[in-house]
Amino acid sequence: MTAPRKRPSTASLMLVPFWLVVLVAYVGTMLWTVQISFTASKLLPVDVYVGFDQYHRLFSSTRWLVSMQNAVIFGVLFITGALVLGFLLAVVLDQKVRFENTLRTVFLYPYAMSFIVTGLIWQWLMNPGLGIQKAVRDWGFESFSFAWAVDRDMALYALVLAGLWQASGLVMALMLAGLRGVDEEIWKASRIDGIPAWRVYLFVVVPMLRPLILTAVVLLSISVVKAFDLVVALTNGGPGISSDMPAKFVMDNLFTRQNIGLATAAATVMLITVAAVLVPWIYSEYFRKVRAGAAT
Amino acid sequence: MKQLIATILAGSALAFAAMPASAQDKPRAEVMHWWTSGGESAAIKTFADAYEKAGGEWVDTATAGGENSRAATINRMVGGQPPTAAQFNTGRQFDDLVSQGLIRPIEALAEEGGWKKAMPTALVEAASRDGEMYALPINVHGQNWTFYSKTVLEKSGVAELPSTWEAMIPALQKIKEAGFTPLALGGQPWQERALFNAILLQQGGKDLYMRIYRDKDEEAVRSEGFAKAVETYGALRGLVDAGSPGRSWNDTTSLLLRDTAAIQVMGDWVKGEFTNAGKTPSEDYGCTIGLDDTMLMVGGDVFVFPKTEDEAQKKAQDLLVETMISKDAQAAFNLAKGSMPVRNDVDTSAFDACAKKGLELLKSEDSQAPVFEILVSASLAGAVDDVVTQFWNNPSAQPEDVVEGFVNAFEVEG
């Protein structure tokens, strides 16, 4: 009788280091961050509590509001764009095209590059004196203009473009794996019923890919929230503050501006926002699955 | 053969015996700094050589990028493993470290060395807290220089550089019509703000400049002088090239080197780029402080010496201070760095024509004003950057936006 009881306790014993790491490294630092955000810390953390002063300061800063707004615009465009592009690429490759392996590698290749390299590449491409604009103008199209990174109305979309270039390949790889998992019988059945292929994709295959889409959205959202290196390399938040992002705001205040209190307040707001958006959605996704599983 | 082995053994034994002894005798100084570019590392090497010559052992810990280097320094100091000395910018970057008691005051060494009175007062004040020196200023960087391409001016029919901003703007328009870039500016917030402060100091005068940044006087911000400086600054928005946003200062200088742009308003580190390209100041290119060589905006670098209980480390710090501030080291270092010596009793005959202009202004208190990092906290500096960069990059922004932005920044960041 003792054996079955002992087995789980050994297992939990093995998990103790893991739980320690999670508690100390993740939850612990998170709580510490929240704690600092209620203090008057500047260069070093101090224990002078000022209540919600830092949050008040944060939300009276134009730059923070602009960067939050930018994060939303960037996030929506980047996530939907990458999902749509990635899915279309996967569908194209799924038609058993020739050189599929080569194309797959080509599309996935940008993902092998870090955001910082992506940012630099696109910075050059969109530089009016060096990049695409100059090349096309040299070919004789004098009025051609493509200088998004230095245009305050377009800089944010320059970030989206570079982000899409980098991340679409990843979504494609995920979706392609999913498409390959779709049962051949479904295609046969749809062909017998005479349903056009696009309708099968949209109404049969996409719902089947739901878990993969969820994974892709989570992965993409993470890169939206931590969008820092791409911004720094491509526009550095500029021109002005037109392409600023919350993560850059936090980093600037943490180091250059010696505003640990304000930076941690911003980080806390980011955490709460992400939790408020993602948790209910993921919860409902899994909850639905559990219920569906129970029903069958 | 046996003899040979015996000799080698004896030799290495001797070497081993000698090594710890020499390491103990020599004061060993680990110096953290961010001087990694060609000219910069040549400059710090002059200090290292001087220190070794004085009988010390120099351990170089260079980190690229001021922010990274300072972050590393602070982490090590808080973690109880401080370096012997660490670089900061003249200003308030090390305020918190002083108030936490992590930095050793060097007032006694200053008294002993007698070099304090040879330094610009603004820099001594910036290095002192409650009347005691906590940092050693080692150079003076003028930050309101205007460098200009003589070729571009000539080709555009501008006989000589105007000495006021009122006259400058029509001249820049003329240069633009001649097909050149009138103003070479790297569109990064700190460069945009450097230009703004240079204009504010030039047009508004030192008095207004100090009332705004030292006293955070709302009335001064709402004054006519400030509005005029903002207007001048706003008028320059259309006079930069399309590639300006995000460009670094040295890439911007190369526009002057290639004679495609007329003027650049920047600190005197720009001279390093000209020197590297083999150009001679005031022959191949022009330089002026402000626009009329009357008022120098002074800043620079300092070293701080973390508090330590280790006597050997204290001795190393003493020797470092003594070496870095010595007349010879000052001349050698600043020649390589492109800056000016921090003490006025150094032989400056070897310095170039531009540096001599600056040295002239350094002689009198009335012809110098501190850079704004000395006057305001890092967070207020950041807030000012935000205001200025928003105005610069938005052609429809009004001067009133800057005024309100400044008032708001002073209220929130103080």
Side-chain angles (χ1 to χ4, degrees):
Chain A
M1 259 335 265
T2 39
R5 218 182 297 161
K6 230 175 194 169
R7 216 182 297 147
S9 80
T10 324
S12 20
L13 202 68
M14 301 293 271
L15 282 175
V16 163
F18 166 76
W19 279 113
L20 273 180
V21 169
V22 167
L23 282 178
V24 174
Y26 293 93
V27 182
T29 45
M30 227 186 271
L31 291 177
W32 195 26
T33 303
V34 176
Q35 184 235 324
I36 293 174
S37 76
F38 289 105
T39 66
S41 306
K42 295 191 106 135
L43 175 63
L44 304 167
V46 293
D47 282 338
V48 183
Y49 288 92
V50 293
F52 281 93
D53 274 13
Q54 302 284 15
Y55 291 89
H56 184 247
R57 225 173 115 194
L58 182 67
F59 281 97
S60 62
S61 151
T62 329
R63 198 176 148 198
W64 170 252
L65 298 176
V66 168
S67 61
M68 283 295 266
Q69 194 188 333
N70 282 347
V72 172
I73 299 174
F74 176 79
V76 170
L77 291 179
F78 172 71
I79 294 176
T80 39
L83 280 179
V84 171
L85 264 178
F87 183 71
L88 290 179
L89 285 175
V91 169
V92 169
L93 287 190
D94 196 36
Q95 308 308 309
K96 317 253 163 22
V97 291
R98 246 201 276 187
F99 308 121
E100 188 200 310
N101 281 338
T102 321
L103 287 174
R104 208 171 45 202
T105 314
V106 168
F107 291 141
L108 193 55
Y109 217 84
Y111 194 69
M113 277 178 225
S114 65
F115 260 144
I116 205 112
V117 179
T118 309
L120 279 176
I121 293 173
W122 282 94
Q123 192 208 354
W124 288 325
L125 287 177
M126 288 192 265
N127 183 311
L130 302 168
I132 297 175
Q133 176 175 321
K134 174 132 193 332
V136 177
R137 282 192 183 178
D138 287 350
W139 292 337
F141 302 96
E142 283 298 326
S143 61
F144 179 81
S145 166
F146 181 63
W148 287 9
V150 296
D151 180 345
R152 59 188 289 275
D153 297 321
M154 298 304 289
L156 188 60
Y157 305 108
L159 293 179
V160 175
L161 185 65
L164 285 181
W165 177 80
Q166 204 239 18
S168 296
L170 171 77
V171 179
M172 177 210 71
L174 283 171
M175 297 294 174
L176 193 58
L179 289 179
R180 289 289 144 84
V182 172
D183 198 338
E184 202 51 39
E185 296 300 318
I186 291 174
W187 284 110
K188 280 182 193 156
S190 72
R191 239 170 275 142
I192 290 167
D193 288 345
I195 308 169
W198 67 270
R199 294 197 59 171
V200 184
Y201 272 118
L202 213 55
F203 296 108
V204 180
V205 176
V206 168
M208 289 176 75
L209 294 183
R210 205 184 180 93
L212 283 174
I213 295 176
L214 179 67
T215 312
V217 169
V218 170
L219 284 176
L220 294 172
S221 323
I222 290 172
S223 40
V224 171
V225 176
K226 65 174 191 186
F228 171 72
D229 33 11
L230 180 66
V231 186
V232 168
L234 184 49
T235 64
N236 204 12
I241 55 167
S242 56
S243 61
D244 214 338
M245 285 285 174
K248 185 166 178 294
F249 182 94
V250 172
M251 293 300 274
D252 273 359
N253 279 294
L254 206 51
F255 295 107
T256 327
R257 301 196 174 176
Q258 307 182 352
N259 257 333
I260 293 189
L262 187 64
T264 47
T268 310
V269 171
M270 278 170 76
L271 176 71
I272 293 171
T273 318
V274 171
V277 174
L278 277 188
V279 168
W281 185 61
I282 293 176
Y283 182 77
S284 81
E285 280 296 315
Y286 284 110
F287 187 60
R288 188 210 305 263
K289 208 181 284 170
V290 170
R291 235 180 9 188
T296 47
Chain B
M1 190 63 204
K2 220 176 187 178
Q3 179 101 38
L4 184 68
I5 292 170
T7 323
I8 292 172
L9 280 177
S12 37
L14 257 178
F16 275 116
M19 237 167 27
S22 71
Q24 261 167 16
D25 288 350
K26 278 188 176 177
R28 188 170 180 280
E30 187 191 354
V31 183
M32 292 183 80
H33 61 88
W34 59 82
W35 284 320
T36 49
S37 86
E40 288 173 342
S41 53
I44 190 75
K45 192 162 182 305
T46 64
F47 273 160
D49 289 347
Y51 190 68
E52 307 243 308
K53 220 165 125 193
E57 189 193 349
W58 178 283
V59 182
D60 204 68
T61 306
T63 313
E67 285 159 30
N68 305 332
S69 173
R70 290 195 294 272
T73 302
I74 291 164
N75 280 340
R76 282 187 51 181
M77 286 175 73
V78 174
Q81 296 284 329
T84 316
Q87 182 196 357
F88 280 87
N89 283 125
T90 308
R92 301 177 55 173
Q93 286 168 348
F94 49 92
D95 266 9
D96 272 18
L97 297 174
V98 172
S99 59
Q100 299 279 326
L102 291 168
I103 293 180
R104 173 186 173 193
I106 54 165
E107 188 62 28
L109 294 171
E111 296 289 324
E112 206 179 299
W115 32 259
K116 194 172 154 183
K117 58 183 183 302
M119 287 183 182
T121 350
L123 296 188
V124 173
E125 273 170 25
S128 306
R129 302 290 180 272
D130 302 323
E132 267 201 295
M133 277 190 101
Y134 278 89
L136 178 70
I138 47 150
N139 62 359
V140 183
H141 268 305
Q143 304 204 356
N144 60 333
W145 288 84
T146 304
F147 296 92
Y148 55 95
S149 159
K150 293 190 165 177
T151 322
V152 173
L153 288 194
E154 208 176 285
K155 282 188 185 159
S156 331
V158 178
E160 63 175 7
L161 199 75
S163 61
T164 61
W165 279 104
E166 284 89 348
M168 180 62 102
I169 289 176
L172 291 177
Q173 291 285 4
K174 206 169 158 191
I175 293 167
K176 190 180 183 182
E177 279 153 27
F180 294 100
T181 302
L183 175 65
L185 177 87
Q188 296 171 334
W190 72 272
Q191 295 186 59
E192 294 161 356
R193 176 248 302 155
L195 173 65
F196 177 72
N197 282 346
I199 295 173
L200 179 63
L201 183 61
Q202 176 72 23
Q203 243 187 352
K206 182 180 175 180
D207 192 45
L208 182 72
Y209 177 86
M210 295 301 277
R211 271 175 65 204
I212 288 173
Y213 287 132
R214 185 190 53 202
D215 310 334
K216 282 105 194 164
D217 180 356
E218 190 181 326
E219 214 176 291
V221 175
R222 296 194 185 278
S223 72
E224 227 166 88
F226 185 77
K228 215 169 96 189
V230 177
E231 251 165 59
T232 307
Y233 183 65
L236 294 173
R237 285 181 290 197
L239 297 170
V240 293
D241 61 311
S244 166
R247 186 170 52 205
S248 65
W249 66 266
N250 45 342
D251 291 340
T252 307
T253 307
S254 74
L255 296 183
L256 266 71
L257 285 172
R258 283 184 274 129
D259 289 323
T260 57
I263 66 167
Q264 182 182 16
V265 179
M266 238 310 104
D268 46 14
W269 47 85
V270 163
K271 277 194 306 189
E273 297 296 304
F274 283 109
T275 313
N276 270 348
K279 304 227 173 185
T280 320
S282 82
E283 281 173 29
D284 302 324
Y285 64 96
C287 57
T288 161
I289 301 167
L291 288 176
D292 54 2
D293 293 326
T294 54
M295 183 69 71
L296 183 70
M297 196 190 283
V298 295
D301 302 284
V302 297
F303 275 100
V304 299
F305 302 90
K307 209 169 246 176
T308 169
E309 295 306 318
D310 182 359
E311 280 307 316
Q313 277 296 297
K314 273 188 194 163
K315 231 172 81 189
Q317 288 178 341
D318 292 353
L319 188 63
L320 263 183
V321 173
E322 195 186 308
T323 337
M324 284 179 172
I325 205 65
S326 75
K327 289 183 188 176
D328 292 345
Q330 276 291 308
F333 172 81
N334 287 299
L335 271 175
K337 182 81 168 61
S339 47
M340 292 170 277
V342 74
R343 50 193 294 185
N344 59 19
D345 49 1
V346 172
D347 175 26
T348 53
S349 51
F351 283 80
D352 62 54
C354 289
K356 278 183 180 151
K357 278 189 191 182
L359 288 164
E360 195 56 44
L361 294 186
L362 274 181
K363 282 182 186 155
S364 161
E365 189 116 334
D366 300 327
S367 54
Q368 43 179 290
V371 293
F372 100 132
E373 287 95 333
I374 292 179
L375 302 168
V376 302
S377 68
S379 61
L380 179 54
V384 167
D385 281 4
D386 287 349
V387 173
V388 172
T389 191
Q390 286 182 62
F391 176 70
W392 177 260
N393 287 291
N394 182 358
S396 59
Q398 296 301 310
E400 296 85 66
D401 299 343
V402 178
V403 173
E404 292 310 318
F406 266 67
V407 171
N408 181 42
F410 288 165
E411 256 169 36
V412 179
E413 309 289 341

